[in-house]
Amino acid sequence: KAGVTQTPRYLIKTRGQQVTLSCSPISGHRSVSWYQQTPGQGLQFLFEYFSETQRNKGNFPGRFSGRQFSNSRSEMNVSTLELGDSALYLCASSLSGSRSYEQYFGPGTRLTVT
Amino acid sequence: DQQVKQNSPSLSVQEGRISILNCDYTNSMFDYFLWYKKYPAEGPTFLISISSIKDKNEDGRFTVFLNKSAKHLSLHIVPSQPGDSAVYFCAASAQDFGNEKLTFGTGTRLTIIP
């Protein structure tokens, strides 16, 4: 079974631009969660999508948004990029109705904002 | 407010010895705890978990201990091997059907010295 895939793997953007990251979950998984990893902050939860609906949300500003498509693929968008948005963005997928521990992570997208 | 804390950013252990990674939490609603392992350029992978109804869970060389009164858990790796060199994240979740999310610590970089 193919794992979670994320595209692109690396991205460089300038301040003020916007960016869209993509995540394809494991086949059959309906929940997709997004995390931001920065040095010293660990993994911070952004949001979770299940059946095309945002089911849970972390404490990030409205510049961070996402969506999920009918095939469970998910995109995350960050508008008006700031230098502090430079991070590794990870997505994780899980089966419907499962507890958080059944999450499987993708390799991440490394975003650098200059 | 860091609800899950890993106070040691790094740890070095000789090959063959025991590695002990520590994690503290503040939210008494957490009832499920997990350890993830992360290699560079890869997403975190699930290692071992423990429910709050237990105080110990073992899986091969890995054992997780939970002390609920102290709000503390630890991961023991015996014997440590060079392939164990990675960043280890402690995570916790609280039962909230349909709205569960993982709260991660900041990670501990374990280096196994041959």
Side-chain angles (χ1 to χ4, degrees):
Chain A
K1 189 185 265 192
V4 178
T5 57
Q6 291 187 246
T7 56
R9 292 293 310 277
Y10 302 92
L11 204 49
I12 299 175
K13 291 283 188 179
T14 56
R15 274 182 300 176
Q17 286 187 313
Q18 75 160 14
V19 67
T20 299
L21 312 181
S22 180
C23 172
S24 292
I26 290 172
S27 177
H29 286 192
R30 293 170 62 191
S31 168
V32 174
S33 297
W34 288 89
Y35 294 85
Q36 180 194 66
Q37 185 189 358
T38 54
Q41 291 292 319
L43 278 73
Q44 300 204 292
F45 175 77
L46 281 153
F47 30 65
E48 183 215 0
Y49 284 85
F50 177 79
S51 291
E52 304 178 62
T53 302
Q54 189 180 83
R55 184 162 71 170
N56 208 346
K57 190 176 187 306
N59 298 322
F60 278 79
R63 300 185 297 107
F64 292 82
S65 64
R67 58 177 176 168
Q68 187 179 34
F69 301 95
S70 58
N71 61 358
S72 293
R73 189 177 71 85
S74 177
E75 287 183 347
M76 189 192 91
N77 184 275
V78 188
S79 63
T80 320
L81 284 166
E82 300 177 359
L83 294 178
D85 296 333
S86 294
L88 180 67
Y89 290 88
L90 293 157
C91 85
S93 74
S94 62
L95 289 168
S96 61
S98 62
R99 287 205 69 172
S100 302
Y101 58 84
E102 295 177 0
Q103 291 188 356
Y104 296 83
F105 283 83
T109 294
R110 172 75 61 187
L111 171 65
T112 302
V113 182
T114 61
Chain B
D1 176 29
Q2 194 73 28
Q3 296 187 58
V4 178
K5 301 177 186 179
Q6 293 176 259
N7 292 318
S8 298
S10 62
L11 176 68
S12 294
V13 175
Q14 288 279 349
E15 182 179 357
R17 300 285 188 124
I18 183 171
S19 294
I20 300 176
L21 295 96
N22 294 303
C23 178
D24 297 295
Y25 62 96
T26 57
N27 188 342
S28 57
M29 297 301 293
F30 287 146
D31 66 342
Y32 206 91
F33 304 89
L34 310 88
W35 286 93
Y36 279 81
K37 176 179 178 180
K38 186 179 185 299
Y39 292 118
E42 294 182 14
T45 54
F46 170 72
L47 196 56
I48 192 169
S49 63
I50 188 167
S51 164
S52 60
I53 63 173
K54 295 185 175 181
D55 54 20
K56 176 183 173 181
N57 189 25
E58 205 169 343
D59 183 2
R61 297 185 298 113
F62 302 91
T63 303
V64 56
F65 295 92
L66 175 63
N67 183 333
K68 289 184 288 295
S69 60
K71 293 192 177 68
H72 176 84
L73 65 155
S74 60
L75 174 68
H76 293 211
I77 306 174
V78 183
S80 300
Q81 299 175 353
D84 296 330
S85 294
V87 177
Y88 290 78
F89 290 98
C90 165
S93 76
Q95 190 171 60
D96 183 8
F97 295 104
N99 289 299
E100 293 156 12
K101 61 181 182 182
L102 285 176
T103 301
F104 282 84
T106 52
T108 296
R109 182 178 300 280
L110 175 65
T111 302
I112 305 302
I113 304 164

